[in-house]
Amino acid sequence: MVLQVQTSTYEAKTQEIAKQLLEVTQENRSFFASLRDQMRWDDKLLAWAMSNPGLRVQLFRFIDTLPALRSKSEIAAHLQEYLGDESVELPATLKGMLNFANPDSMPGQVAATTVATAVETLAHKYISGENITQVIKTVERLRKEKMAFTIDLLGEAVITEAEAQSYLERYLELMQQLVAASKNWKAIPAIDEADGEQLPKVQVSVKLTAFYSQFDPLDAQGSEERVSDRIRTLLRHAQQLSAAVHFDMEQYAYKDITLNILKKLLTEDEFRQRTDIGITIQAYLRDSEQDAKDVISWLKQRGYPLTIRLVKGAYWDQETIKAAQKHWPQPVYNDKAASDANFETITQLLLENHQYVYAAIGSHNVRSQAKAIAIAESLKVPRRRFEMQVLYGMGDKLAKALVDRGYRVRVYCPYGELLPGMAYLIRRLLENTANSSFLRQNLENRPIEELLAPPVVELSHAEAQRRREENRGFVGVADTDYAEEEERRKSHQAFQSVHQQLGRTYLPLINGEYVNTQEVIDSLNPSNFSQVIGKVGLISVEQAEQAMKVAKAAFPAWRKTPVKQRADILRKAGDLMEQRRAELSAWIVLEVGKPVKEADAEVSEAIDFCRYYADEMERLDKGVNYDVAGETNRYIYQPRGIAVVISPWNFPLAIACGMTVAALVTGNCTLLKPAETSSVITAKLTEILVEAGIPKGVFQYVPGKGSQVGAYLVSHPDTHVIAFTGSQEVGCKIYAEASTLKPLQRHMKRVIAEMGGKNAIIVDESSDLDQAVVGVVQSAFGYSGQKCSACSRVIVLQSIYDTFVERLVEATKSLNIGEAELPSTQVGPVIDANARDRIREYIEKGKAEAQLALELPAPEQGYFIGPVIFSEVPSNAIIAQQEIFGPVLAVIPVKDFEEALAVANGTNFALTGGLYSRTPSHIQQAQQEFEVGNLYINRTITGAIVARQPFGGFNLSGVGSKAGGPDYLLQFLEPRTITENIQRQGFAPIEGAD
C-alpha cells in the first residue's frame, strides 16, 4: 500500500526545507572574492550576457562559431563581426578591446586570446574533462565530496553508421576504464550503498538515437532493430563490469519510440531482472505526466524497479520553433511555471510509487528539490529509492547542501573535446542566463518568498501565443507527424487500400465526361517495374481540338463566376486532399518512387496552393482605387482566356495542382496535360477538382504525348497562357513556339516556365559541419536528386575540404536505398529507364573528369541508381555544368569565399542555392551576390513552402514569377484601368461634405 499524503502537508514542509537549503546556498561573498571574480573574463562574459539581451544573442552565436575558427586572426575578425553589430550595446571594457583596425594587429591578437581563453574557461566549468584521465580526476574529486556521478559522452552528431558504431565502442571503452579506476576507490557508504544494497560505483548516460545514424520514427521497426542490437551489447558489457546505464531523453519526436524500444528490451528475459538501468522523463513536455504513469504501470508488470530521472528538459527553444514551423501542436509548456508545476506533480507521482521505481530528481531549483525531500520524508521513502541529481558546474552549493543533509547526490558529468561540446555549453549558458532561471534569480537576490513560491500556471500565455500565430496571415497545413503511431497506422492502411486499386484504367476528362482513347499506356512503379500502377488513356490531336472548343465555350460563364465562388471551390479541393492525404501520398510513392515523408510534404504543398491562391485571388479582386475629386480610377483584373498546364512527373500532385488551380481561380478555363509517367496521380487530382465543384468544360484532364498533344496545345491560337514545368530543352521550345503569332490569334501568349537548375551549396570554413553534411546529403540525394531544387554541386573551401568530403561520403554510405514504399528508404528509384540510362552516361563522363569518391550499389528490380559523389571536380566540368537530375553530386574545392561565389554563379542556371556559414559578412555577401531565385542559409535547399518561400528562378532556370508567392496569380490575369468622370453640370460628390 503506497501512502498518499495531502499536498498541503507537503507544502509547509517544502517551504521549511527550501528556506534551510537557500540559506546555505545563497551567495555570501567576501570583498576579496568579489574582487577576484571581477577580474575573470569568463564571469564578465556571463554577467554581460545576463544584463544585455542583444549582446547575449550575438555572444552565444560567436561562442557557437569559435571551435571552427583556426587562427587568432579569424577569432578577432569574427569577434568584431558578431559584437560590432549595430543591435549590440557593448560594455565599455569590451568596446575598448574590440577597437582594433586589423584582425592581424597586436590588439586584435590580444582580443582573440583573451576571449578564446575566457570561453575555454567557461567550457571547463560545465564539461568535466576533455579525456578519460581528466574525467577520472573529476569523479575522484566528486567522490571525496561524497557525490556519485554519471558520465555523458559529448561528440559530433551521429550522422554515419561508422560514427554510430564508434559511439558504442567509445562507451564500452569508457566503462572499462572507469571500472578499472574504481578498483582503487575507497568505499563511500553515502553513495556506494543504500538500505544494505551495494550500488554500482560507475554509471554512464547514453543517447539511444546515437546507436543508429538513420534513426527515424517513421521507420519504427527498422530503427528498433538496428538500435536494439547495439544496446544489448552495451548492457551485457555493463553487466559484466557491474556498471549502471542510464538512457537520456532527447527531442520530442523520438520520445515515444525511445520509450517503446526500452520497454521491449527491458522486458526481455535477459534484461528483465536488471535494476541498474534508468530512463528519463522531461517535465516540460505536456504529455510527460501520462508518460510517467505509463512507465510506472509497465514497471509494476515487469516486477523489477528501474530508475526514472526526472528533468525539466533541455530543448525548449528547439521544440517550440520546430512545432511553430511545422504547424504542429506545441509539445512543451509555453510557461516555465507550468513546467515547474508539472515537475512537482511527477516528483510526487514517482515518490508515491517508490516500490516500483527509483526516483532521480534532477534540478537546480531549490524549491523543486525541497519538494522532493518533503514528500520523501513524509512518505518515509527508503534511501535506495531516490536520489538528487545536478549538472556538473551548476548547482554546486545546492549539491553540497543536499549531501550535508544526508541525501545521495549524483552529478551528471559530460565529457569530451571542447569542439563538439560547444552545443552543450550553449544550452547551459542559455539556461544560466535566462530570466526565468532559478540560478539567475537566486544570484539576483530575489526575495525568498518569490523564489520559493509554488509555481502559478498562466494558461492565458499559451492562448495568447496561439492567437498571435492565427493573426500572422496565411498559415499552411501541417505535414503528417510520423512520430505519432496513429499516423503510421493510417499510412500503412492507405498503402493496403491503394494496392487493391492498382491496374485500373484512367481516361481523359473532356467536357465533364471521361472519354475513351485509341492509345492506352501503362504507368509503372519505378521501384518495381513489373507492377502496373494504372492504365492511362492518351488523347489524340483531334480530342485535344475538341477540348479547346469546349474550354472556349465555357470561358464566358466562368470568367463571370464571382471570385468568392471560384475561391471556395479551391478551398473545398484543399479540404478533400487533406481528408485523402495518406491515400494521395501512397499514390505518389508508388507511381513516381518518392519516399513517404517527401510524398506527404508534397500533399501539404498541393493543399497550401489551393488555400493560398484562393486567399490571393480574393485580395486581388478588391482591385485598387486611385480616385481624385470628380473622377474615379479603378485598377482591376480580368482572366486571360484558356490556360494550358504542362506538369512534370517529379512533383506530380503539387506542381500540377498549383499551376492548375492558379489558372482556374483567376477565371481561366484550364487544360491539364501531365507527364505521361505520372498521369494516375493527376487523374486523382481530377477526381478531387470535379468533386469540389469545378463546372463542365472549365477544367479538363488531357493526358497525351508531349511531342504531339503538348505541341498542338502550345501552338493553338486559342491558348492564352502556358504554364510549364520541366526540362530547359522543352521549356525553350515552348517559349519560342509561343512567341510566333498564328493565323486568327488576337493576343500574345504568356509563358510561365520553370526549367530546372544546377544548384550549388557553398560550405565555408566557419560552418557547422554536422549541419552542413546532413543538409547536403538531404538536398542532393532526397528523392534521388530528382527535384528542380536539388543540390548537384557542393563548393567547399580548401581548409575544410578533406574533412567535409570524408564525412559526406560516410554519411551517404549510411543511407538506406530501396523501394520507396519501405519506411526505412531514403533513396528510392529514378523515374524510368531513360532517366536511369541518361544518369549512367553522366556518371561515366564524371569518371573521366574527376575523382570518384563514392558509388553505391543499387537494387536491380527497379530503376535504381545508388548515390554517386565525385571529388576534385573542376568548376567547368560537364558534371558541374549540366543538369543531371539524378543522385550525382560534384564536390568542388575553392581557395576562398570570393572564388566560391564565382563558381556558384558560373552556370546558365539561377534556381536555388545554399550557404553553410557562421561568418556574418559571408552571409551578407551571399545575400547580395549569390545569383539564385531561392537562397537558403544554414539549411537544406529543397522543400520550399507556399507563401513562406515562394519558389522560382531566373536566367535559364525559368521565366515568370514565383509559385506560391504574392505575384504568381498576376501572370494569369490582364490588368485594366477604368476611369469615370463623375461630375454632372459642374458638380460632383465630395466626400465629407454635408
Side-chain angles (χ1 to χ4, degrees):
M1 168 74 183
V2 173
L3 278 169
Q4 293 274 348
V5 179
Q6 277 195 336
T7 307
S8 55
T9 313
Y10 293 149
E11 185 56 35
K13 195 159 190 173
T14 297
Q15 290 289 333
E16 180 193 336
I17 295 166
K19 282 172 185 167
Q20 293 165 4
L21 289 173
L22 205 56
E23 199 175 316
V24 290
T25 60
Q26 276 194 316
E27 296 291 329
N28 181 15
R29 294 139 63 84
S30 70
F31 170 75
F32 290 108
S34 303
L35 201 64
R36 188 194 65 229
D37 283 355
Q38 281 171 22
M39 306 298 290
R40 287 179 53 155
W41 270 88
D42 54 312
D43 286 331
K44 281 182 184 175
L45 291 178
L46 266 186
W48 289 333
M50 285 191 203
S51 61
N52 184 331
L55 175 58
R56 179 177 182 249
V57 169
Q58 291 299 94
L59 180 62
F60 289 177
R61 284 182 165 186
F62 166 76
I63 291 172
D64 175 53
T65 312
L66 186 60
L69 306 179
R70 288 165 171 72
S71 69
K72 287 182 182 175
S73 298
E74 280 185 32
I75 293 171
H78 282 76
L79 255 179
Q80 273 191 334
E81 285 195 33
Y82 275 103
L83 303 187
D85 190 272
E86 289 173 5
S87 66
V88 180
E89 195 181 317
L90 289 179
T93 318
L94 201 48
K95 191 182 284 186
M97 192 179 73
L98 294 179
N99 191 21
F100 51 83
N102 186 332
D104 293 321
S105 66
M106 181 60 76
Q109 303 286 295
V110 169
T113 304
T114 305
V115 174
T117 305
V119 172
E120 199 169 315
T121 307
L122 261 181
H124 281 126
K125 277 186 176 178
Y126 304 112
I127 295 172
S128 64
E130 290 189 67
N131 55 51
I132 190 70
T133 310
Q134 290 177 5
V135 170
I136 288 171
K137 275 187 185 168
T138 298
V139 300
E140 286 175 347
R141 177 174 56 76
L142 289 172
R143 285 179 59 81
K144 279 179 186 164
E145 294 169 12
K146 297 183 182 173
M147 294 182 200
F149 65 86
T150 185
I151 305 289
D152 166 44
L153 191 55
L154 296 173
E156 296 162 322
V158 171
I159 56 178
T160 74
E161 276 307 276
E163 288 166 356
Q165 183 59 31
S166 166
Y167 183 81
L168 170 64
E169 287 164 5
R170 286 168 69 201
Y171 262 107
L172 299 182
E173 185 188 355
L174 172 65
M175 289 193 295
Q176 194 93 41
Q177 291 183 286
L178 284 169
V179 168
S182 75
K183 300 277 196 280
N184 302 318
W185 296 343
K186 201 170 63 183
I188 298 167
I191 53 175
D192 294 335
E193 58 185 68
D195 305 328
E197 184 184 334
Q198 291 299 309
L199 306 181
K201 288 180 182 174
V202 171
Q203 186 188 101
V204 294
S205 287
V206 300
K207 291 173 177 54
L208 183 137
T209 61
F211 290 105
Y212 177 40
S213 65
Q214 309 306 310
F215 193 93
D216 184 354
L218 173 61
D219 180 28
Q221 189 179 341
S223 297
E224 181 185 326
E225 287 168 6
R226 299 295 290 272
V227 160
S228 298
D229 284 345
R230 286 181 171 141
I231 291 175
R232 287 187 190 100
T233 302
L234 179 82
L235 293 180
R236 286 168 191 147
H237 195 76
Q239 187 170 30
Q240 288 164 8
L241 295 168
S242 299
V245 176
H246 196 99
F247 291 93
D248 284 330
M249 192 59 77
E250 300 168 83
Q251 288 84 353
Y252 181 69
Y254 303 136
K255 172 181 69 72
D256 288 349
I257 182 174
T258 296
L259 291 172
N260 287 342
I261 289 170
L262 291 175
K263 283 176 184 175
K264 277 191 190 174
L265 256 175
L266 299 176
T267 313
E268 290 175 6
D269 288 345
E270 183 181 358
F271 305 112
R272 183 173 190 144
Q273 294 182 26
R274 296 277 291 273
T275 58
D276 55 354
I277 297 168
I279 57 183
T280 305
I281 299 276
Q282 297 163 310
Y284 69 179
L285 294 178
R286 293 169 186 266
D287 45 12
S288 53
E289 183 185 354
Q290 187 56 50
D291 287 336
K293 287 176 177 172
D294 292 345
V295 171
I296 290 166
S297 297
W298 166 71
L299 285 171
K300 287 177 182 176
Q301 292 174 340
R302 182 177 185 262
Y304 297 90
L306 291 171
T307 298
I308 293 181
R309 176 193 292 151
L310 179 63
V311 296
K312 296 278 168 62
Y315 303 94
W316 187 89
D317 298 78
Q318 200 180 64
E319 297 290 8
T320 50
I321 289 166
K322 182 178 179 181
Q325 288 184 348
K326 294 276 193 183
H327 308 303
W328 289 342
Q330 283 287 353
V332 292
Y333 288 109
N334 300 99
D335 199 64
K336 183 180 179 293
S339 296
D340 288 343
N342 194 44
F343 190 93
E344 293 189 8
T345 300
I346 300 172
T347 298
Q348 185 170 334
L349 183 68
L350 298 178
L351 290 169
E352 286 175 350
N353 285 278
H354 61 78
Q355 291 142 298
Y356 313 107
V357 62
Y358 303 146
I361 309 301
S363 176
H364 309 117
N365 184 321
V366 167
R367 179 186 161 84
S368 299
Q369 292 288 19
K371 182 76 178 271
I373 293 170
I375 298 168
E377 287 184 354
S378 301
L379 298 176
K380 297 186 170 51
V381 176
R383 287 297 162 94
R384 171 67 185 98
R385 300 273 159 172
F386 80 107
E387 67 182 32
M388 311 316 203
Q389 296 197 354
V390 296
L391 293 172
Y392 182 76
M394 291 176 71
D396 295 352
K397 291 192 172 178
L398 174 60
K400 186 177 184 316
L402 293 169
V403 168
D404 290 346
R405 287 183 74 101
Y407 292 103
R408 185 168 68 255
V409 173
R410 189 175 304 277
V411 181
Y412 185 96
C413 298
Y415 111 87
E417 294 172 30
L418 295 188
L419 179 86
M422 215 43 85
Y424 176 83
L425 173 62
I426 296 288
R427 284 208 301 276
R428 297 290 74 81
L429 293 178
L430 284 169
E431 192 174 333
N432 264 347
T433 58
N435 288 329
S436 55
S437 155
F438 183 89
L439 291 171
R440 174 172 174 173
Q441 290 175 353
N442 193 11
L443 270 177
E444 291 171 349
N445 292 319
R446 298 275 179 93
I448 286 179
E449 294 71 24
E450 185 185 327
L451 281 173
L452 302 182
V456 177
V457 183
E458 291 182 45
L459 294 174
S460 58
H461 187 81
E463 187 58 40
Q465 180 161 331
R466 187 160 62 249
R467 277 201 298 274
R468 275 200 305 277
E469 193 167 289
E470 285 168 0
N471 294 334
R472 253 199 343 242
F474 179 79
V475 176
V477 69
D479 292 344
T480 300
D481 182 359
Y482 290 108
E484 303 282 339
E485 193 173 352
E486 174 63 16
E487 296 297 349
R488 297 198 295 272
R489 188 188 60 75
K490 278 186 199 168
S491 175
H492 180 67
Q493 283 180 339
F495 275 106
Q496 287 181 318
S497 167
V498 167
H499 273 290
Q500 301 293 313
Q501 302 170 52
L502 296 183
R504 292 182 182 176
T505 300
Y506 297 90
L507 296 172
L509 182 80
I510 296 176
N511 199 19
E513 303 292 333
Y514 289 104
V515 298
N516 287 314
T517 60
Q518 287 187 335
E519 189 175 359
V520 175
I521 59 162
D522 288 343
S523 179
L524 305 177
N525 180 351
S527 291
N528 176 6
F529 42 66
S530 63
Q531 189 174 64
V532 176
I533 302 304
K535 297 176 181 298
V536 179
L538 301 184
I539 67 167
S540 62
V541 168
E542 292 74 24
Q543 287 171 310
E545 176 58 32
Q546 183 196 350
M548 286 300 283
K549 285 177 179 166
V550 167
K552 197 170 179 181
F555 179 61
W558 182 239
R559 72 177 295 174
K560 290 176 185 169
T561 302
V563 163
K564 175 78 170 71
Q565 198 173 322
R566 300 199 302 247
D568 283 346
I569 292 172
L570 263 64
R571 292 189 180 102
K572 177 77 187 295
D575 293 346
L576 290 168
M577 284 184 209
E578 194 160 16
Q579 290 164 24
R580 294 175 61 177
R581 171 190 279 281
E583 177 216 337
L584 290 169
S585 294
W587 283 112
I588 294 169
V589 170
L590 293 172
E591 191 177 24
V592 299
K594 186 172 282 193
V596 176
K597 270 189 191 168
E598 296 183 74
D600 177 75
E602 181 173 344
V603 179
S604 293
E605 188 177 6
I607 296 166
D608 285 349
F609 276 136
C610 290
R611 293 172 180 172
Y612 178 70
Y613 289 152
D615 290 355
E616 280 295 290
M617 191 57 225
E618 287 179 345
R619 174 180 68 83
L620 292 172
D621 188 45
K622 291 170 186 168
V624 184
N625 290 346
Y626 297 104
D627 296 345
V628 294
E631 181 178 278
T632 61
N633 294 285
R634 285 191 304 126
Y635 187 83
I636 61 170
Y637 298 97
Q638 68 180 31
R640 287 177 177 269
I642 294 172
V644 171
V645 171
I646 301 173
S647 65
W649 51 262
N650 65 331
F651 282 85
L653 180 65
I655 294 180
C657 176
M659 296 193 294
T660 299
V661 299
L664 289 169
V665 79
T666 46
N668 302 284
C669 288
T670 306
L671 284 74
L672 169 60
K673 193 215 85 63
E676 290 149 52
T677 43
S678 60
S679 296
V680 171
I681 294 157
T682 37
K684 297 294 165 188
L685 172 62
T686 299
E687 291 170 9
I688 285 167
L689 290 173
V690 169
E691 188 178 343
I694 286 283
K696 273 184 175 187
V698 168
F699 165 75
Q700 297 176 93
Y701 164 61
V702 288
K705 293 274 184 200
S707 56
Q708 296 162 17
V709 169
Y712 180 78
L713 294 174
V714 165
S715 64
H716 201 286
D718 287 332
T719 296
H720 289 76
V721 182
I722 300 150
F724 166 80
T725 300
S727 71
Q728 182 190 315
E729 180 190 1
V730 176
C732 289
K733 279 182 187 169
I734 289 172
Y735 200 73
E737 176 61 33
S739 66
T740 306
L741 203 61
K742 296 292 187 290
L744 304 177
Q745 185 177 320
R746 298 174 58 189
H747 56 270
M748 297 303 294
K749 294 174 183 174
R750 167 59 72 94
V751 176
I752 305 155
E754 198 270 275
M755 302 185 295
K758 189 67 186 169
N759 311 306
I761 292 177
I762 296 173
V763 181
D764 82 3
E765 64 274 47
S766 69
S767 62
D768 178 335
L769 283 190
D770 285 351
Q771 194 182 47
V773 170
V774 170
V776 168
V777 168
Q778 287 177 358
S779 300
F781 303 121
Y783 192 33
S784 302
Q786 298 176 113
K787 298 178 183 178
C788 325
S789 54
C791 170
S792 56
R793 299 180 296 154
V794 56
I795 301 162
V796 186
L797 270 70
Q798 199 73 61
S799 59
I800 55 164
Y801 187 84
D802 292 342
T803 307
F804 176 82
V805 171
E806 186 184 334
R807 290 197 80 199
L808 176 71
V809 166
E810 284 300 324
T812 307
K813 274 185 192 170
S814 305
L815 296 173
N816 296 318
I817 305 166
E819 291 185 37
E821 185 180 351
L822 299 173
S824 59
T825 293
Q826 286 129 341
V827 181
V830 296
I831 189 65
D832 60 17
N834 290 338
R836 180 194 60 198
D837 297 344
R838 191 192 71 252
I839 296 164
R840 283 177 177 169
E841 286 173 20
Y842 273 111
I843 292 168
E844 291 311 307
K845 287 174 186 168
K847 288 175 181 175
E849 294 180 308
Q851 291 180 20
L852 181 66
L854 178 69
E855 184 174 19
L856 286 180
E860 290 295 321
Q861 82 281 10
Y863 303 118
F864 288 96
I865 289 188
V868 174
I869 298 172
F870 288 103
S871 64
E872 304 298 335
V873 180
S875 61
N876 61 352
I878 290 170
I879 57 168
Q881 289 291 321
Q882 295 182 14
E883 187 175 37
I884 299 171
F885 227 63
V888 180
L889 180 62
V891 192
I892 304 169
V894 290
K895 63 179 184 300
D896 57 30
F897 193 68
E898 301 296 328
E899 187 187 353
L901 278 173
V903 170
N905 291 334
T907 73
N908 295 330
F909 298 96
L911 186 54
T912 65
L915 168 64
Y916 282 92
S917 172
R918 291 180 287 191
T919 302
S921 58
H922 285 180
I923 291 171
Q924 189 176 1
Q925 191 178 352
Q927 288 171 350
Q928 292 165 351
E929 298 176 22
F930 201 152
E931 291 281 300
V932 288
N934 285 59
L935 176 62
Y936 298 95
I937 297 165
N938 292 324
R939 55 148 285 174
T940 56
I941 66 169
T942 59
I945 291 173
V946 172
R948 199 186 292 175
Q949 295 123 2
F951 184 78
F954 47 93
N955 293 353
L956 289 183
S957 282
V959 58
S961 192
K962 287 173 166 292
D967 313 319
Y968 190 72
L969 294 188
L970 298 177
Q971 302 168 117
F972 298 85
L973 294 163
E974 294 282 12
R976 297 176 65 207
T977 300
I978 299 171
T979 298
E980 181 186 356
N981 170 15
I982 55 172
Q983 292 186 81
R984 292 287 188 277
Q985 303 301 332
F987 79 90
I990 298 173
E991 202 172 316
D994 291 327

